[in-house]
Amino acid sequence: MLQGTDVGGFLIIQDSATYSGRHLLNSFINAALNREESVHVLGFEISEEELKDGLKRSPIQRLHFHNAFIDPLGWTDHPIFTVHQFSLEELVRLVKQTSHPKPATLVIDSLSWILRHISPPAVCKTLQQLKKEGAVRAVIGLLHADMHQKGTVGSVCHLATSVITVAPGVKGDAAVAKITKRSKSGKVMQDEEIFSIKEDLTVIVQSKPNHTGPKQTDSEEQEIDPTANLTFNLRLSETERSAKDKLALPFVFSKEKKTALLHSGPGSGRILYEPDANDDYDQEDPDDDLDV
Amino acid sequence: MYTELNSILNTTPDSFTQGEFILVSDRQSDASFLMHHFLSFYLRARCKVCFLGLVQSFSHYNAVGQRLGVSLVQAKEKGQLIFFEGLKESLSVLISQESNTKSQAIDFLRDPSVGLRSLYEFVRCTVSSSSGGGEKGADGAEEWGPPVLLVDDLSVLLSLGVTVGTVLDFSHYCRATVCSQLQGNMVMLTRCDGEEEADDGDDEGSERLHRGLTHQCSLTLHVQGLPTGYCRDIHGQVEVCWRRRQGDGQHTQKKLFQYKVHDKGASFFARGTSSAVL
C-alpha cells in the first residue's frame, strides 16, 4: 500500500472520535523503522511509554521521541518541547540532534494539538517550509478532523501529498480508508479500501472499492438456507406421497358424486303432471293463453 | 460500587488497570450514578482520591456514598480523599471574604482568560503529595495506592466561561501527570446537550469537548436514554467503548447495555433482557 512514502512527502492520517488513526500511524512508524530509517516522533498526545508499548515488536533503536506530552504549554518549570516551539528552526534542530546519514521521517502526533494553539496559517507555513527544506525525508501527521472547522482541515490537507481518512468498518476490526494521493505531475488519485491491522502492525487490505462491499454482504445473506433449521418436515417420503395422492379432497367433483346427484334414489321428490280438463292446451300454439 | 459494572469492565478493587483515563458522558440522561460508582470503587481500592466536585456539595456525595457502603467523612479524615468542593470555593472567591486565605485553584471564575492552570496546580499538588508520602508517615498515616482524579463534571466549566480548548488543555495536563507519570487513574464526567449529529461546523461547546476528550481517553462510558422513550423498568442504556488496547489485537471494542438504578446499586443487562420484559 502506501508503506513507502516518497521523499519530501507529507502524509496526513485523518481520524475521528469513532475510530482512532493512531494504530495506522503506528504501522507507518513500524514500516519506516523496518526500512532502517530513523524516525522522529513529536508526541503531543501520547507518552513515550505508550508509544513504545504500541511498537513492541519494532526495532526502536532508531526511534527518537520528542516529549511534548508532559508539558506542551510550559506550565511546569522545565518544559522539554512546547507547542510554541513548533517552527522550522526548532524542528530542524530536533531532527539534526542525532547524526544520521539518511534524512529522517518526522511523525507528528497530533497536528490537532498544534492547530489548537497556533493559528492555522502559521502551522501551514511551517509545514510547507519543512517540505521544501529537505531536512526530513517525509512528514506523517495525525489529524483529528472532527476537532476543527472544515476550512482548517481543508487547508492543511491541501499541503499534503497524501491524505488517508479512516473510519470504522462494517464488521469486526476492519476499517475503511479513503486515500487521496497527489503525484508530482499534479494528478490526483482517489481510492477507497477496507483494511485491518494485524498484531505485528502490518496492514492487510481486505477488499478494494466500497461499492462491492454491500453487494458481497447481500450474496452472503442469500446463501443462507432458510429451510435449514425448521421444526417441521418439508419433504415427503414415497409412502407418504402415495397416501397423499389417494386422498380425495372434499370439494373435488368426482364421478361418483355426479351420478349420486343425478340418479337420486326412490322416494325422493318427483314431479307428476296430470293434465286438467280446463287446461286448454293447444299443441299447435303453446303460447296461446298469453295475450300477445 | 456496582459489582455488575465491575464484571463488565473486568476490574475489581483489588486489581484494576493503572494509567487509565475513563470518560463518562451522558446525553439527555444522567450519568452521575457512574461517578458515585467510581468514587466508591476507588475508595475501596485504597487509592488516594482527589475529587473535584463542581456541581454538588460534599454532603450530597457523602449521602450517596453511605448508601453504597463507603464513608466519605472517614476517608477525608484519614487523608485518603481530598475533596474539592467547587460550590463553596466559588462562593468564597466571588464574595471575597478574607481574601488570600483560600486556595487560588478556582481563580478562573474572576477572569476565565487566565485558564485552568491554577486548578491543575491544585490537582498536581494533591496527587503528587500522595506518592511522595507513600512511605509511611511518622504519625502512622496509612499508605495509599496510586492516585485517582475524579471530576464531576467538566462541562460545567464551559458554562463558567472557560473555552473548550482550555478545558482540553487541563484534561491533557491531568492525564500527563496522573495517568502517565504517576500511573494513576482518571475519571471525568461531561454532559452533551442537544441531539446527536445536530451540530454544524462551528460548534463551540459540549459536543466538541466530548469529542476532544474521546480522543484522549482509553475507555468511554456513554449514558443515553432509551431511543424508544421513557420506561419505568429500564432507565437507559450505557455504551461501553474500549479504545487503545494495543496489547491485544482489537483496539476499539463496543458493547451496549441497558441499566436500571436501584436505591442501593444498579443492575446492568444486555439489551432486551430486562426482568420486566422476560
Side-chain angles (χ1 to χ4, degrees):
Chain A
M1 219 169 94
L2 279 165
Q3 298 288 16
T5 328
D6 316 322
V7 177
F10 177 32
L11 170 75
I12 286 184
I13 301 175
Q14 261 191 50
D15 69 353
S16 65
T18 46
Y19 187 86
S20 170
R22 190 157 285 131
H23 217 54
L24 185 63
L25 185 70
N26 277 354
S27 52
F28 272 101
I29 298 172
N30 182 44
L33 289 172
N34 284 336
R35 284 199 302 268
E36 307 211 331
E37 296 168 6
S38 60
V39 177
H40 290 259
V41 178
L42 191 57
F44 283 97
E45 286 190 7
I46 189 166
S47 64
E48 191 167 2
E49 295 78 31
E50 217 174 320
L51 177 73
K52 288 190 173 158
D53 197 43
L55 294 167
K56 263 179 209 154
R57 304 182 190 192
S58 317
I60 52 171
Q61 309 86 286
R62 276 181 303 276
L63 178 74
H64 306 285
F65 185 79
H66 304 291
N67 194 336
F69 172 73
I70 284 300
D71 192 11
L73 295 177
W75 281 8
T76 58
D77 299 332
H78 309 289
I80 301 168
F81 187 88
T82 64
V83 72
H84 302 292
Q85 281 174 279
F86 186 77
S87 63
L88 180 69
E89 298 78 38
E90 287 288 337
L91 289 174
V92 170
R93 186 181 60 81
L94 274 186
V95 175
K96 291 255 166 84
Q97 271 176 358
T98 51
S99 53
H100 267 287
K102 276 201 269 184
T105 304
L106 178 68
V107 176
I108 302 170
D109 184 356
S110 70
L111 284 169
S112 292
W113 228 102
I114 301 165
L115 284 170
R116 245 188 29 229
H117 289 278
I118 300 182
S119 70
V123 177
C124 289
K125 190 181 155 208
T126 307
L127 290 172
Q128 183 67 22
Q129 284 174 336
L130 208 59
K131 232 165 99 178
K132 280 196 179 154
E133 182 78 6
V136 290
R137 186 177 170 280
V139 180
I140 304 175
L142 184 67
L143 182 67
H144 305 310
D146 55 351
M147 289 302 296
H148 308 283
Q149 295 184 358
K150 271 184 193 146
T152 313
V153 175
S155 54
V156 177
C157 287
H158 273 299
L159 288 174
T161 48
S162 325
V163 179
I164 303 179
T165 310
V166 290
V170 190
K171 55 185 173 181
D173 49 357
V176 183
K178 274 187 198 161
I179 303 161
T180 309
K181 248 187 187 175
R182 285 189 198 87
S183 58
K184 271 177 190 157
S185 59
K187 196 178 156 196
V188 178
M189 287 191 298
Q190 284 192 325
D191 212 349
E192 203 165 314
E193 283 174 350
I194 299 173
F195 71 98
S196 65
I197 297 167
K198 280 207 297 189
E199 263 182 65
D200 57 347
L201 294 175
T202 50
V203 179
I204 302 164
V205 177
Q206 290 181 336
S207 62
K208 270 223 150 182
N210 198 21
H211 314 294
T212 58
K215 277 182 197 164
Q216 279 176 345
T217 51
D218 278 357
S219 63
E220 266 173 38
E221 277 167 21
Q222 279 169 8
E223 277 166 24
I224 299 166
D225 185 10
T227 63
N229 294 312
L230 291 177
T231 52
F232 49 87
N233 192 10
L234 269 182
R235 287 173 185 77
L236 292 173
S237 67
E238 214 37 56
T239 50
E240 279 169 336
R241 190 182 298 279
S242 64
K244 186 192 133 205
D245 289 344
K246 270 181 207 161
L247 188 74
L249 296 175
F251 298 107
V252 171
F253 206 62
S254 65
K255 211 175 179 184
E256 295 93 79
K257 264 190 188 168
K258 202 172 167 184
T259 49
L261 283 171
L262 286 177
H263 306 281
S264 46
S268 61
R270 182 173 287 196
I271 300 167
L272 298 173
Y273 178 67
E274 283 169 18
D276 201 60
N278 299 344
D279 278 354
D280 182 20
Y281 189 73
D282 190 359
Q283 288 286 339
E284 300 291 303
D285 186 10
D287 296 332
D288 183 39
D289 53 338
L290 298 174
D291 291 328
V292 276
Chain B
M1 191 178 72
Y2 313 138
T3 40
E4 277 180 54
L5 186 60
N6 284 346
S7 59
I8 289 171
L9 301 180
N10 198 16
T11 53
T12 58
D14 302 322
S15 68
F16 55 90
T17 340
Q18 288 188 7
E20 266 204 288
F21 175 13
I22 303 171
L23 176 68
V24 179
S25 56
D26 60 16
R27 186 190 303 279
Q28 294 174 332
S29 189
D30 189 11
S32 50
F33 70 103
L34 290 174
M35 288 314 284
H36 296 298
H37 159 78
F38 283 113
L39 178 58
S40 58
F41 177 88
Y42 286 118
L43 284 178
R44 281 197 195 185
R46 305 185 54 76
C47 293
K48 168 97 178 185
V49 178
C50 172
F51 195 101
L52 300 185
L54 304 175
V55 288
Q56 295 282 4
S57 63
F58 176 74
S59 51
H60 167 84
Y61 293 105
N62 190 34
V64 182
Q66 265 173 354
R67 287 199 174 265
L68 297 176
V70 288
S71 168
L72 300 199
V73 178
Q74 270 182 22
K76 213 173 163 185
E77 279 167 3
K78 283 192 284 185
Q80 186 189 5
L81 173 70
I82 306 290
F83 194 92
F84 180 82
E85 201 166 347
L87 295 178
K88 240 181 210 170
E89 298 278 336
S90 59
L91 201 65
S92 66
V93 168
L94 293 176
I95 312 166
S96 53
Q97 22 157 304
E98 302 164 39
S99 54
N100 301 331
T101 52
K102 288 282 175 186
S103 68
Q104 302 291 305
I106 204 154
D107 62 356
F108 66 87
L109 270 179
R110 288 191 163 263
D111 181 12
S113 60
V114 176
L116 298 171
R117 187 171 167 177
S118 46
L119 190 61
Y120 161 71
E121 291 294 337
F122 170 79
V123 170
R124 191 174 60 90
C125 292
T126 314
V127 292
S128 39
S129 68
S130 74
S131 58
E135 64 277 0
K136 270 193 182 167
D139 50 346
E142 287 180 78
E143 226 177 290
W144 303 115
V148 172
L149 172 69
L150 295 135
V151 184
D152 184 13
D153 70 72
L154 269 186
S155 47
V156 79
L157 294 174
L158 296 181
S159 342
L160 296 173
V162 184
T163 61
V164 175
T166 318
V167 180
L168 288 176
D169 290 342
F170 171 70
S171 70
H172 175 92
Y173 266 91
C174 289
R175 181 163 83 101
T177 309
V178 178
C179 299
S180 189
Q181 278 186 326
L182 301 169
Q183 284 298 302
N185 284 11
M186 198 158 92
V187 184
M188 287 189 176
L189 174 68
T190 175
R191 287 164 196 275
C192 315
D193 41 38
E195 298 289 327
E196 211 166 352
E197 313 293 342
D199 46 289
D200 302 318
D202 55 343
D203 48 335
E204 177 78 10
S206 54
E207 290 297 326
R208 223 180 121 225
L209 175 67
H210 180 235
R211 280 202 299 270
L213 289 170
T214 311
H215 281 295
Q216 293 182 1
C217 70
S218 55
L219 168 67
T220 63
L221 297 166
H222 186 64
V223 177
Q224 283 171 301
L226 284 180
T228 48
Y230 172 77
C231 172
R232 197 160 49 91
D233 294 297
I234 304 164
H235 289 157
Q237 58 187 25
V238 53
E239 190 182 80
V240 186
C241 180
W242 287 268
R243 296 163 63 85
R244 199 186 294 167
R245 254 199 190 174
Q246 285 163 344
D248 34 325
Q250 196 129 355
H251 63 129
T252 35
Q253 196 187 0
K254 262 187 191 174
K255 277 183 187 170
L256 194 68
F257 296 95
Q258 293 178 331
Y259 70 88
K260 183 182 181 182
V261 184
H262 305 293
D263 202 16
K264 289 184 180 177
S267 52
F268 294 82
F269 34 84
R271 259 186 297 184
T273 60
S274 149
S275 56
V277 179
L278 297 180

